[in-house]
Amino acid sequence: MSGCHNVCQDRTGDDNLQSMIVGTVMRKIKSRTWKKQRYFKLQEDCMTIWYKSKKAGNAHSTFSVSDVETVREGHQSEVLLSIADEFPPDRCFTLVFRGRRGNLDLVADSADEAQSWIKGMRKLIENLENMGESEKLDQWICEWFKKADKNNDGRMNFREIRVLLKMMNVDMNEHHAHQLFMTADKSQTGTLEDDEFVLFYKMLTQREDVLRVFQDFSGDGQKLSLRDLEEFLRDEQLEEVDGVQQLAMELIERYEPSDTGTKMLKAMSIDGFLMYLASAEGSIFHPRQQSLYQDMTQPLNHYFISSSHNTYLMEDQLRGHSSVEGYIRALKRGCRCVEVDCWDGPNGEPIVYHGHTFTSKILFKDVVNALRNYAFKVSEYPVILSTENHCGVEQQRVMAQHLNTILGDKLLKSTLDGKIPVSFPSPEELKGKILLKGKKIGGLEESRNGPVEPEDSLTGEVSDEDEAADIDEDSLHSNSLRRTAKVVRSTLQFPRCGSIKFIQFNSRSFPQKSKQRLSKELSDCVVYCKSVHFSSFKHSRVHSKFYEISSFTESKARKHLREAGAEFVHHNTRQLTRVYPSGLRTDSSNFNPQEMWNTGTQIVALNFQTAGVEMDLNDGLFSQNGRCGYILKPDFMRMSERRFDPEVPHNREGYRPLSLCIQVISGQQLPKVNIKESSVVDPFVRVEIHGVPLDQAKQETRYIDNNGFNPVWYDTLRFTIHAPELALVRFVVEDYDKASRNDFVGQYTLPFSCIQQGYRHIHLLSKDGTSIPPASLFVHMEHMEGGRR
């Protein structure tokens, strides 16, 4: 199988890969006290890392090179930093996995061995990233061949093929499977070798659905001439008429296999057509909108900003692990607003953790170091550091010192032009800058009146967001959260603290917001994001400065939305607002961010560590515009003279509802969700519209019995969308179970505005948001305004 050798084809001349294949004994490090030797080696396929304990026994573990996102060299993880005095950096490295899986920290016996693995892994990752779609598919076929070839003889008999079909989610009639097997067995040996298995796979995966479309547009049923392809692109894919001939020629050049005569005829075969439809250009997400395409010169408050809550937590809010890794992961996902909860720590060093709980603690300065190193690796646009500050004045000064010395010029310390501004600067103007959000002594106007003595300080609430004190009556009276309150009551023990007073509230003790002095040094680090207490929309309209930002719990934000939705939207045309999850969400669950985006709220802070529909929506919204973490709000949410109420979207100027028609045609290679070898999924597709309340809707296809490999539906779902500029479309595949809850198979979420019409593939993602190739859906998308396409 040619694809089996792509990643490893040049290994003979690569000493690093050869060394990895031979194998190496390294220490796997989990903590200062957990350091165990493991034998690691690269399998012959150059796709799998195998490792086991040095002790006797056959138990071993494996992981795929494709699961590894990057390799960090030296002491670049908290775990390796903790043993820095024991092992030098040139022997240490970290494998960082995709999604939410924990890192693998390793120490080699020598610097040379470490370099072999570092360079070898980086080369394998690079080779994978450079693979074409056809090569990736070959690799995937090869991996299945290896899984099913139980006796490792490089051949597969019919019994092994039957096992393989179950593993691949196919419940096929035995007679039909045997016919395919006999047809593929060209050598007539009763077994399939490499190339014969590829033939078997191609017969198994023949796409009748794509062939039907191909033949509808083919003049002779054998190929698409240049004119046929142009017609398909213009009439079905709705590509721009002016460039359609050029695009057709480019697609033939790019996707038609070079060993066919069809390419010479400037035509496309069924193989080339399928390659095009399975490519990024044939996907549902418009490639143009995946790159940076929006105007980045508008004021900062005109953008939705990807935002994280309690960024330091890797798990729940009660006993979860705090880690600098939380910041690195969030920033690498394009997050542009991260949060720190700061408390007085030992040895004069501020610490970060979820106060009044048993979550572990990390140093504030380590968080700032992570910001310096990772803030602008994925996006060059500004990062907002949102502080929940519980420190005394002395350690506030230490915080200010760390911000200044570690971040240097990256920290924004004054207005951009040195003058008193009247509106926010733009993300473009703030490129490469870190903005501190927190309390400030006075305003920008006062800070232009010359230096203030360092002893000057403000007495009052140093933090506007003490979440333990913010568990409000709305949340406590919520039926869905009342049980959680009981758990919190019985679990939390608040420490005594001189700056925190206790009040009795609804059978439970909560700390009141601390009244402390704010240090001048820390105050000076706040420029455009001064945290203020919110009184009312009317008060803000009359008295508030543009740089003053208020934070609401989700329940307070919902209350404002219910009582004054249009006022809330109008408020956000002038100022920044942050909404964060209720303090009762001790399991780090999330609220629906769409509700808050409907109000124009810019900073909708979510628990990035928790997978689910809420993070799918967040990932979907911010998957456009180069994943830079900033999305320009619709114009009716940016202009203060416009009045938009999310409850009545049809009352706005320029209202044009759209009809969306989705034909769900088929699915391809859906992953198994049940580990039982004999289990095969019964898939169905649910399409969800998330947007203003009038647009919230979902519809489902039928379920298909026992076929996760190539289910076919041809089911049509229709929706009316009243505010398409705010709508997200989520495709979910589940395994139907009439006796219990359906199992999640895969999902894909994208903004309605980024959808390409016509015949499109949707490349599914896991619950974690990582890709699961080659799992996909094939759909036909069409939207019409007033009944016209």
Side-chain angles (χ1 to χ4, degrees):
M1 228 176 301
S2 58
C4 292
H5 310 293
N6 283 336
V7 179
C8 248
Q9 60 194 1
D10 53 356
R11 78 176 193 209
T12 48
D14 192 304
D15 292 340
N16 296 321
L17 295 184
Q18 290 287 7
S19 172
M20 289 169 71
I21 288 168
V22 170
T24 311
V25 174
M26 293 187 279
R27 286 180 179 84
K28 181 180 175 182
I29 314 290
K30 286 190 176 179
S31 68
R32 274 193 73 86
T33 54
W34 199 103
K35 303 184 278 278
K36 301 200 174 169
Q37 289 197 318
R38 295 286 184 266
Y39 179 53
F40 288 83
K41 68 175 182 177
L42 176 66
Q43 301 284 65
E44 289 287 329
D45 64 353
C46 285
M47 279 294 294
T48 311
I49 306 295
W50 177 100
Y51 66 97
K52 65 175 286 186
S53 167
K54 282 190 73 186
K55 295 174 185 174
N58 295 321
H60 69 274
S61 301
T62 62
F63 60 85
S64 172
V65 172
S66 61
D67 294 336
V68 182
E69 184 180 297
T70 190
V71 184
R72 292 190 206 146
E73 203 168 340
H75 298 146
Q76 287 202 58
S77 75
E78 282 166 298
V79 170
L80 291 179
L81 280 168
S82 74
I83 50 104
D85 55 346
E86 197 175 343
F87 301 105
D90 60 3
R91 287 170 53 193
C92 301
F93 63 99
T94 302
L95 300 184
V96 180
F97 291 95
R98 299 182 189 281
R100 293 171 174 84
R101 181 173 170 178
N103 296 342
L104 179 58
D105 292 300
L106 298 169
V107 177
D109 282 346
S110 70
D112 287 344
E113 281 186 349
Q115 278 302 308
S116 283
W117 278 83
I118 291 164
K119 289 177 179 173
M121 284 298 297
R122 284 176 176 165
K123 177 162 190 173
L124 292 173
I125 292 167
E126 183 186 0
N127 286 352
L128 273 176
E129 287 171 350
N130 292 334
M131 264 191 187
E133 293 301 317
S134 177
E135 292 171 310
K136 284 178 185 172
L137 188 58
D138 278 351
Q139 194 70 44
W140 189 80
I141 300 170
C142 177
E143 285 174 20
W144 279 114
F145 184 92
K146 282 197 333 232
K147 283 179 190 173
D149 184 14
K150 298 291 186 187
N151 57 7
N152 295 315
D153 64 354
R155 300 166 179 269
M156 285 175 59
N157 58 36
F158 184 64
R159 187 181 58 79
E160 288 175 317
I161 284 286
R162 290 288 293 145
V163 172
L164 173 69
L165 291 175
K166 290 283 188 188
M167 289 166 66
M168 294 176 97
N169 247 335
V170 185
D171 187 21
M172 183 180 283
N173 172 283
E174 184 156 350
H175 175 68
H176 182 47
H178 194 257
Q179 277 189 317
L180 293 181
F181 180 87
M182 297 296 289
T183 307
D185 182 17
K186 299 291 188 189
S187 58
Q188 298 186 336
T189 59
T191 59
L192 301 185
E193 297 179 25
D194 279 9
D195 292 339
E196 291 172 333
F197 179 72
V198 172
L199 178 60
F200 173 82
Y201 176 85
K202 285 191 172 174
M203 288 190 290
L204 188 68
T205 56
Q206 197 158 10
R207 294 284 302 274
E208 296 295 334
D209 51 348
V210 173
L211 186 61
R212 186 192 292 190
V213 178
F214 179 83
Q215 289 181 335
D216 280 350
F217 284 86
S218 169
D220 60 6
Q222 302 298 311
K223 66 182 183 300
L224 291 177
S225 67
L226 188 60
R227 182 173 290 180
D228 292 339
L229 185 55
E230 284 176 36
E231 184 185 342
F232 172 75
L233 294 171
R234 183 179 59 248
D235 297 348
E236 217 38 81
Q237 306 297 75
L238 298 189
E239 298 288 356
E240 292 174 11
V241 176
D242 289 348
V244 80
Q245 185 179 38
Q246 180 65 29
L247 176 61
M249 289 193 290
E250 287 172 6
L251 294 179
I252 291 168
E253 183 60 36
R254 205 149 37 236
Y255 298 111
E256 181 60 25
S258 55
D259 56 356
T260 67
T262 317
K263 194 168 190 174
M264 301 289 292
L265 297 170
K266 287 193 170 59
M268 185 175 266
S269 66
I270 181 64
D271 286 343
F273 188 61
L274 182 54
M275 287 294 291
Y276 152 62
L277 287 175
S279 73
E281 285 171 291
S283 90
I284 192 170
F285 203 119
H286 204 302
R288 192 183 309 133
Q289 282 155 292
Q290 284 185 318
S291 56
L292 193 73
Y293 74 98
Q294 292 184 334
D295 176 9
M296 301 303 289
T297 64
Q298 304 244 356
L300 197 70
N301 64 312
H302 285 186
Y303 297 83
F304 295 123
I305 303 171
S306 180
S307 306
S308 159
H309 172 250
N310 287 355
T311 315
Y312 49 88
L313 284 179
M314 304 295 283
E315 300 156 33
D316 67 73
Q317 318 267 320
L318 293 179
R319 297 175 179 273
H321 177 55
S322 301
S323 173
V324 170
E325 200 64 42
Y327 292 90
I328 296 171
R329 290 186 181 190
L331 291 166
K332 288 180 81 172
R333 288 180 76 162
C335 179
R336 297 289 86 188
C337 179
V338 295
E339 185 188 14
V340 283
D341 288 10
C342 298
W343 300 79
D344 284 338
N347 308 315
E349 281 293 343
I351 54 173
V352 174
Y353 83 113
H354 199 42
H356 318 303
T357 68
F358 302 109
T359 57
S360 60
K361 303 169 178 67
I362 54 178
L363 293 175
F364 175 73
K365 67 178 178 184
D366 289 344
V367 173
V368 181
N369 267 308
L371 277 176
R372 179 191 65 192
N373 295 332
Y374 291 94
F376 304 109
K377 281 194 181 286
V378 168
S379 169
E380 55 190 344
Y381 291 103
V383 169
I384 298 169
L385 179 60
S386 178
T387 56
E388 188 176 313
N389 174 18
H390 304 274
C391 291
V393 171
E394 284 309 310
Q395 291 206 15
Q396 288 178 40
R397 287 179 178 142
V398 176
M399 286 172 64
Q401 183 184 345
H402 288 326
L403 288 166
N404 280 293
T405 55
I406 295 170
L407 297 180
D409 290 344
K410 287 186 172 79
L411 179 68
L412 189 77
K413 288 294 300 291
S414 63
T415 56
L416 290 184
D417 56 6
K419 297 174 185 171
I420 300 171
V422 293
S423 66
F424 280 106
S426 68
E428 189 67 32
E429 292 170 301
L430 291 168
K431 269 184 181 175
K433 292 296 182 185
I434 294 171
L435 283 63
L436 189 70
K437 182 183 87 65
K439 289 289 185 177
K440 183 174 180 64
I441 302 168
L444 289 183
E445 298 79 9
E446 289 89 333
S447 63
R448 296 294 308 138
N449 294 333
V452 183
E453 290 301 313
E455 288 75 26
D456 286 10
S457 62
L458 173 74
T459 300
E461 293 171 8
V462 296
S463 174
D464 204 41
E465 297 146 35
D466 185 345
E467 292 180 18
D470 264 335
I471 299 177
D472 47 64
E473 291 186 51
D474 280 357
S475 296
L476 280 172
H477 290 305
S478 158
N479 288 331
S480 63
L481 292 173
R482 197 170 287 153
R483 288 190 301 279
T484 316
K486 290 178 185 172
V487 175
V488 178
R489 266 203 301 277
S490 61
T491 309
L492 285 185
Q493 296 170 349
F494 294 114
R496 289 183 181 175
C497 177
S499 63
I500 300 180
K501 304 184 185 76
F502 289 85
I503 57 173
Q504 197 67 24
F505 177 65
N506 201 23
S507 308
R508 160 173 185 182
S509 287
F510 284 115
Q512 286 182 309
K513 290 189 180 180
S514 39
K515 301 278 186 182
Q516 293 175 197
R517 292 168 63 220
L518 174 64
S519 88
K520 170 70 170 53
E521 293 86 347
L522 190 59
S523 168
D524 284 348
C525 295
V526 176
V527 182
Y528 290 112
C529 298
K530 177 185 177 179
S531 295
V532 297
H533 177 73
F534 179 80
S535 298
S536 68
F537 290 127
K538 183 178 179 181
H539 180 274
S540 293
R541 197 164 59 247
V542 176
H543 300 287
S544 290
K545 310 290 187 186
F546 77 88
Y547 53 82
E548 293 177 337
I549 172 172
S550 299
S551 291
F552 305 127
T553 61
E554 56 178 287
S555 50
K556 284 183 181 172
R558 279 193 202 100
K559 183 171 180 284
H560 293 313
L561 174 57
R562 279 195 310 270
E563 295 174 356
E567 278 293 304
F568 203 164
V569 175
H570 189 255
H571 173 84
N572 287 327
T573 64
R574 305 185 318 275
Q575 290 174 255
L576 283 172
T577 298
R578 177 175 177 265
V579 175
Y580 58 95
S582 161
L584 282 174
R585 291 185 181 273
T586 54
D587 57 353
S588 291
S589 60
N590 282 308
F591 59 91
N592 181 354
Q594 185 70 51
E595 277 186 287
M596 305 309 157
W597 293 327
N598 290 343
T599 69
T601 295
Q602 301 87 350
I603 301 175
V604 180
L606 298 180
N607 292 306
F608 270 47
Q609 72 271 32
T610 306
V613 59
E614 300 84 7
M615 276 306 298
D616 292 344
L617 297 177
N618 197 76
D619 290 344
L621 177 66
F622 291 101
S623 59
Q624 60 181 313
N625 205 31
R627 295 183 182 270
C628 75
Y630 285 85
I631 302 300
L632 189 63
K633 295 197 286 184
D635 60 357
F636 54 80
M637 288 184 147
R638 304 196 306 263
M639 300 176 185
S640 56
E641 63 273 15
R642 296 265 191 102
R643 285 288 171 158
F644 174 71
D645 186 338
E647 293 291 332
V648 282
H650 42 280
N651 283 356
R652 69 183 166 97
E653 185 185 326
Y655 166 67
R656 288 189 189 89
L658 292 175
S659 297
L660 174 63
C661 178
I662 302 172
Q663 186 180 45
V664 181
I665 299 171
S666 64
Q668 293 77 44
Q669 288 96 61
L670 304 177
K672 280 175 77 79
V673 292
N674 193 316
I675 55 172
K676 281 187 188 171
E677 210 166 71
S678 61
S679 170
V680 175
V681 302
D682 304 326
F684 70 92
V685 180
R686 182 172 63 251
V687 178
E688 305 168 352
I689 307 297
H690 296 264
V692 296
L694 208 54
D695 288 342
Q696 294 288 132
K698 55 187 172 188
Q699 293 183 39
E700 294 175 354
T701 66
R702 299 161 292 134
Y703 71 88
I704 304 295
D705 273 321
N706 286 339
N707 187 353
F709 192 71
N710 53 2
V712 176
W713 291 280
Y714 281 105
D715 284 358
T716 300
L717 313 176
R718 300 178 190 278
F719 303 90
T720 299
I721 302 181
H722 300 271
E725 302 91 336
L726 287 170
L728 293 168
V729 184
R730 182 172 184 253
F731 296 83
V732 192
V733 183
E734 290 185 355
D735 178 15
Y736 175 76
D737 191 327
K738 63 178 175 226
S740 63
R741 190 176 177 182
N742 299 327
D743 287 319
F744 174 90
V745 174
Q747 70 85 30
Y748 189 81
T749 308
L750 78 163
F752 175 84
S753 59
C754 295
I755 287 175
Q756 292 203 97
Q757 296 191 71
Y759 288 98
R760 303 293 173 184
H761 275 99
I762 298 168
H763 301 283
L764 295 172
L765 303 175
S766 70
K767 192 171 282 188
D768 234 6
T770 55
S771 61
I772 41 175
S776 64
L777 296 174
F778 186 49
V779 298
H780 184 270
M781 306 294 295
E782 184 177 1
H783 55 75
M784 295 154 282
E785 182 183 309
R788 294 189 308 278
R789 186 176 175 185

